[in-house]
Amino acid sequence: MPNFLTTTTAAGGLGSTVIMLVLMIAIFYFMLIRPENKRKKEAEQMRSSVKNGDKIVTIGGIVGTVVNIKENRIVIETSADQVRLELEKWAISTNETAAENAKAEAKKAQEAKAKAKAAKKAEKTNKE
């Protein structure tokens, strides 16, 4: 087999290998790294926006109401017996109060959109 054929095949194979490697890294970034960073940022924002009176759930499953906020810690009340626990902020899994408020806002926006659509449809019908 002539030497020039093996040289071009090896060079072509190297180029396609580099392209495939770059493509795999790009897919890995967009499918795994970027969404994970976004989730971390949202969780940190949620934890920093916790305020007194919010109902939260910890990563251990403890449900309570925030009664005191310190720099890196929170104090929650877990029951009618007023049992208080001091936890690190990173232990907050969800803020149920904020989630309920967000759902209510979304529902109001959806209702307003539906009313606007109905009004537009009625206006169009009246013109005809």
Side-chain angles (χ1 to χ4, degrees):
M1 181 176 234
N3 192 17
F4 70 90
L5 290 178
T6 57
T7 308
T8 56
T9 306
L14 181 63
S16 65
T17 303
V18 170
I19 291 171
M20 289 300 288
L21 185 62
V22 169
L23 185 62
M24 285 176 41
I25 291 171
I27 290 171
F28 186 73
Y29 175 77
F30 285 107
M31 298 293 286
L32 297 174
I33 296 171
R34 191 170 176 217
E36 183 63 27
N37 287 342
K38 187 177 179 183
R39 276 192 290 273
K40 284 180 183 178
K41 188 176 180 181
E42 288 172 354
E44 186 59 37
Q45 182 181 6
M46 180 268 304
R47 290 178 181 125
S48 64
S49 68
V50 171
K51 57 189 182 298
N52 287 342
D54 283 353
K55 186 174 181 181
I56 64 163
V57 178
T58 68
I59 58 175
I62 299 170
V63 179
T65 305
V66 177
V67 293
N68 190 5
I69 300 173
K70 299 175 184 175
E71 188 174 325
N72 291 325
R73 295 184 179 189
I74 59 168
V75 178
I76 63 170
E77 223 171 66
T78 60
S79 66
D81 296 335
Q82 296 182 344
V83 176
R84 292 188 177 201
L85 298 172
E86 185 173 353
L87 304 166
E88 293 286 330
K89 277 190 175 180
W90 61 261
I92 300 172
S93 175
T94 58
N95 184 343
E96 291 184 356
T97 305
E100 289 172 4
N101 291 342
K103 283 182 184 178
E105 289 292 324
K107 188 174 182 180
K108 285 180 184 178
Q110 186 178 16
E111 289 173 357
K113 196 175 192 181
K115 285 181 183 179
K117 188 176 182 180
K120 190 174 182 181
K121 188 176 182 179
E123 182 181 308
K124 187 177 181 182
T125 307
N126 290 338
K127 285 184 178 180
E128 291 176 353

